[in-house]
């Protein structure tokens, strides 16, 4: 098992497949100027499958989510997923994507073993999409959502980040649109994980503000607390249900106490927290010939040292040098 000194067990593995992305979201990275990982720095397909298999067979991981950057840019994505779906025990497999290219591969992903997808969509307006992402690909995302639903990758989950003065006025519209299409929407507070380190707490749209915006049109009632468990989102019944909306308050209401995640970066580093400033190198050990037993011990040690919380409200908090695109969400 992957335990820490506070009794938490990591059963949810987030695997970044690449640091590259075909969008340039303002809250994630600058328009240009990033240096990308080299091919030799990335884990190979076989190395990813080996480490995921180790986590599932020997370390108690039950859920695997593939992320990026943008995971659909990984050439070997479908075979990687198929190999992980063939593991015994079989983990639950999901994918977080910006949706570009999803229309083309949704059926192949389902056939390979993906159980569900999370798609990022922050606006219903194509021009606002360009302002947020610096790319004119809004229709591609919408097409991807339709394809995911048609392929049976249900429930289709949506992630939205509200930016003050840009798309925060769309909160209620996004929820109404998602409910009409039976998508599950989650709003996420903007986090200090941008490559340009331009995050400003005073400009972040908080969870309380998000809820206030939604309540201008909907009645929201919290779901029973037992339902949340280790899930990052606080979920609310919309107009009495059954529709729900989630709010992930990573900054203003951290959920560290119940965190059950471990992260593997595209270059083979274990991160025991999204906001960690240190990592444990599995790639180096793996390529030096380490056995599965030795790799497992390194991974256990990395998780054992996990802090009680991210410390995001502490004066000494430091934003990680590695951005979200390199860490994997």
């Amino acid at each position: 098992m992957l335990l820490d000194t506070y009794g938490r067990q990591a059963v949810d593995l987030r695997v970044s497949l690449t640091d590259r992305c075909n969008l340039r979201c303002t809250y994630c990275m600058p328009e240009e100027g990033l240096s990308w990982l080299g091919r030799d720095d990335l884990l190979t397909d076989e190395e990813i499958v080996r480490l995921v298999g180790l986590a599932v067979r020997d370390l108690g991981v039950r859920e695997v989510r593939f992320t990026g950057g943008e995971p659909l840019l990984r050439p070997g994505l479908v075979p990687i997923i198929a190999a992980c779906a063939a593991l015994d025990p079989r983990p639950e497999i999901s994918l977080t994507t910006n949706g570009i290219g999803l229309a083309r591969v949704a059926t192949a992903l389902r056939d390979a073993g993906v159980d569900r997808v999370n798609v990022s969509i922050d606006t219903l307006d194509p021009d606002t999409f360009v302002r947020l992402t610096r790319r004119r690909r809004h229709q591609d995302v919408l097409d991807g959502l339709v394809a995911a639903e048609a392929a049976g990758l249900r429930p289709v989950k949506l992630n939205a980040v509200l930016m003050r003065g840009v798309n925060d006025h769309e909160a209620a519209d996004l929820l109404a649109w998602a409910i009409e299409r039976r998508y599950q929407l989650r709003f996420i507070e903007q986090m200090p994980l941008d490559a340009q380190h331009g995050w400003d707490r005073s400009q972040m749209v908080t969870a309380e503000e998000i809820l206030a915006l939604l309540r201008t049109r909907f009645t929201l009632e919290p779901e029973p607390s037992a339902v949340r468990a280790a899930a990052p989102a606080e979920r609310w019944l919309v107009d009495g249900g059954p529709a729900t909306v989630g709010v992930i308050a990573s900054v203003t209401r951290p959920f560290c106490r119940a965190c059950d995640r471990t992260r593997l970066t595209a270059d083979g580093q274990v991160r025991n927290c999204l906001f960690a400033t240190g990592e444990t190198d599995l790639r180096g050990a793996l390529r030096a010939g380490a056995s599965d037993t030795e790799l497992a011990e390194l991974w256990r040690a990395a998780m054992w040292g996990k802090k009680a919380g991210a410390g995001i409200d502490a004066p000494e908090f430091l934003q990680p040098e590695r951005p979200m695109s390199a860490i994997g969400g």
Side-chain angles (χ1 to χ4, degrees):
M1 293 190 295
L2 292 172
L3 295 172
D4 64 34
T5 55
Y6 298 92
R8 295 167 298 194
Q9 181 182 355
V11 297
D12 183 338
L13 170 61
R14 307 296 172 95
V15 181
S16 175
L17 297 177
T18 177
D19 61 333
R20 297 174 185 260
C21 188
N22 41 17
L23 296 179
R24 294 293 181 271
C25 296
T26 57
Y27 53 78
C28 186
M29 62 178 71
E31 187 168 8
E32 56 186 28
L34 282 180
S35 58
W36 308 107
L37 292 169
R39 173 173 290 188
D40 291 342
D41 296 324
L42 295 172
L43 291 173
T44 66
D45 295 0
E46 293 76 15
E47 288 170 338
I48 291 169
V49 173
R50 180 181 172 187
L51 291 175
V52 172
L54 172 67
V56 169
R57 288 191 311 269
D58 300 338
L59 298 175
V61 164
R62 299 193 293 267
E63 302 174 32
V64 178
R65 178 179 298 185
F66 292 103
T67 71
E70 174 44 53
L72 295 186
L73 295 179
R74 177 86 186 204
L77 173 62
V78 171
I80 288 171
I81 289 171
C84 293
L87 293 170
D88 185 15
R90 184 197 189 282
E92 178 183 325
I93 297 176
S94 59
L95 182 83
T96 295
T97 173
N98 62 29
I100 296 174
L102 184 56
R104 176 175 48 84
V105 296
T107 299
L109 292 173
R110 178 205 64 201
D111 292 345
V114 171
D115 297 302
R116 60 177 177 80
V117 293
N118 289 55
V119 180
S120 299
I121 181 165
D122 304 319
T123 178
L124 300 176
D125 181 72
D127 292 329
T128 303
F129 186 87
V130 175
R131 184 178 175 188
L132 282 167
T133 70
R134 305 183 179 101
R135 300 290 187 271
R136 194 167 291 279
R137 305 297 297 272
H138 190 253
Q139 189 59 51
D140 292 327
V141 180
L142 299 181
D143 292 344
L145 290 171
V146 172
E149 176 73 20
L153 296 173
R154 305 186 188 100
V156 175
K157 294 191 174 184
L158 309 181
N159 297 334
V161 176
L162 297 182
M163 300 293 287
R164 194 176 303 282
V166 180
N167 64 334
D168 51 339
H169 64 284
E170 291 190 69
D173 291 338
L174 277 165
L175 180 54
W177 180 82
I179 291 173
E180 181 182 351
R181 289 157 180 78
R182 291 181 294 184
Y183 301 145
Q184 292 186 5
L185 176 61
R186 305 186 305 175
F187 291 97
I188 305 174
E189 289 181 337
Q190 182 196 3
M191 293 180 282
L193 291 169
D194 57 307
Q196 62 272 33
H197 285 208
W199 179 83
D200 182 347
R201 181 186 290 266
S202 68
Q203 292 301 305
M204 179 189 70
V205 182
T206 68
E208 286 302 321
E209 291 176 292
I210 293 168
L211 293 171
L213 290 166
L214 297 178
R215 285 184 171 121
T216 62
R217 193 181 308 181
F218 303 99
T219 299
L220 302 181
E221 300 173 3
E223 279 195 329
S225 59
V227 174
R228 184 179 181 188
E234 294 181 82
R235 298 208 308 179
W236 304 78
L237 296 174
V238 180
D239 291 341
T244 62
V245 64
V247 178
I248 299 179
S250 301
V251 176
T252 61
R253 293 202 290 268
F255 44 89
C256 303
R257 185 174 299 177
C259 181
D260 65 351
R261 287 157 185 75
T262 183
R263 288 177 163 81
L264 183 65
T265 67
D267 55 350
Q269 311 300 305
V270 168
R271 295 182 64 87
N272 60 27
C273 173
L274 192 58
F275 298 104
T277 55
E279 300 174 333
T280 297
D281 181 17
L282 292 188
R283 184 195 65 197
L286 188 156
R287 293 181 180 177
S291 66
D292 281 0
T293 299
E294 291 168 328
L295 292 170
E297 285 306 308
L298 282 173
W299 206 329
R300 289 190 185 99
M303 296 308 298
W304 187 251
K306 185 173 182 174
K307 296 180 179 179
I312 201 165
D313 286 321
E316 63 272 17
F317 174 77
L318 294 175
Q319 180 173 340
E321 286 299 320
R322 300 253 274 181
M324 178 71 83
S325 57
I327 296 170

